[in-house]
Amino acid sequence: MYPGSFDPITNGHLDIIRRGCTLFDHITIGVLNNEQKSPLFTVAERIEMIQAVVAPLAETTRTTIEVDSFEGLLVDFAKRKRANCIVRGLRAVSDYEYELQMAQMNRHMQPDIETVFLMSADTYSFVSSRLVKEICFLGRSVQPFVPPIVEARLQAKFGRQPRS
Ligand code: PNS
């Protein structure tokens, strides 16, 4: 289970999914339905973008990838999906404290599901969905940080024509 907000998916997320494919037979990407937090993209839009960018992986790996959304507790969703492992990406030390707290809490609630941390490539260690949205909103290209389809969707959200 690779859970997150994915608002939107970035090259950093994609890097973690690629790494996950070398370790797992099946990955469920769990998109948090957090409409109350006013995400930029709807769950349907986020799922569509993820499906588009993970599709090429199906041709290069034997791992099957499923994308689904969830509400409520992650461990309950993971249990429903029969996942035995939660994958989270670690970019920098600053991620660690929050991730440790979540992993310990999830372990407390569901001891049979292990959390595994994968380190993103250092190229993506500073990439986050939040910064990508801000940079795009303020008019700079986010092309190095997100797949092309995501950049196009961001441009469209902010009412700009895609670059040729
Ligand atoms: O991409 P994000 O926003 O860092 O992902 C956070 C996510 C979705 C993994 C986390 O917020 C989550 O698991 N939310 C579901 C609610 C839940 O289970 N909360 C208790 C966590 S200990």
Side-chain angles (χ1 to χ4, degrees), residues 1 26 28 66 68-69 76-83:
M1 169 69 56
H26 181 78
T28 299
E66 174 196 3
D68 204 349
S69 64
D76 291 337
F77 178 60
K79 192 115 186 91
R80 274 203 307 283
K81 287 287 177 181
R82 297 174 183 278

Side-chain angles (χ1 to χ4, degrees), residues 130-142 154-155 158 160:
R130 184 180 62 81
L131 289 180
V132 161
K133 284 182 282 192
E134 189 173 315
I135 291 164
C136 188
F137 175 69
L138 295 173
R140 283 272 187 149
S141 169
V142 289
L154 279 163
Q155 300 279 6
F158 296 131
R160 296 199 200 97

Side-chain angles (χ1 to χ4, degrees), residues 4-5 32 70 72-74 88 98 102 105-106:
S5 302
L32 180 67
F70 74 102
L73 286 175
L74 168 62
R88 292 286 290 170
Y98 169 63
M102 256 198 326
M105 192 59 96
N106 284 335

Side-chain angles (χ1 to χ4, degrees), residues 85-158:
C85 186
I86 292 168
V87 172
R88 292 286 290 170
L90 278 184
R91 291 166 298 192
V93 179
S94 49
D95 283 340
Y96 181 76
E97 209 165 322
Y98 169 63
E99 293 296 336
L100 178 71
Q101 191 182 18
M102 256 198 326
Q104 298 282 38
M105 192 59 96
N106 284 335
R107 175 187 276 168
H108 193 82
M109 291 188 284
Q110 199 64 51
D112 56 344
I113 298 182
E114 206 61 59
T115 298
V116 170
F117 294 109
L118 298 181
M119 275 165 291
S120 59
D122 49 12
T123 343
Y124 304 123
S125 62
F126 53 89
V127 177
S128 74
S129 300
R130 184 180 62 81
L131 289 180
V132 161
K133 284 182 282 192
E134 189 173 315
I135 291 164
C136 188
F137 175 69
L138 295 173
R140 283 272 187 149
S141 169
V142 289
Q143 179 267 325
F145 316 126
V146 292
I149 181 187
V150 175
E151 188 184 22
R153 295 293 173 88
L154 279 163
Q155 300 279 6
K157 272 281 175 201
F158 296 131

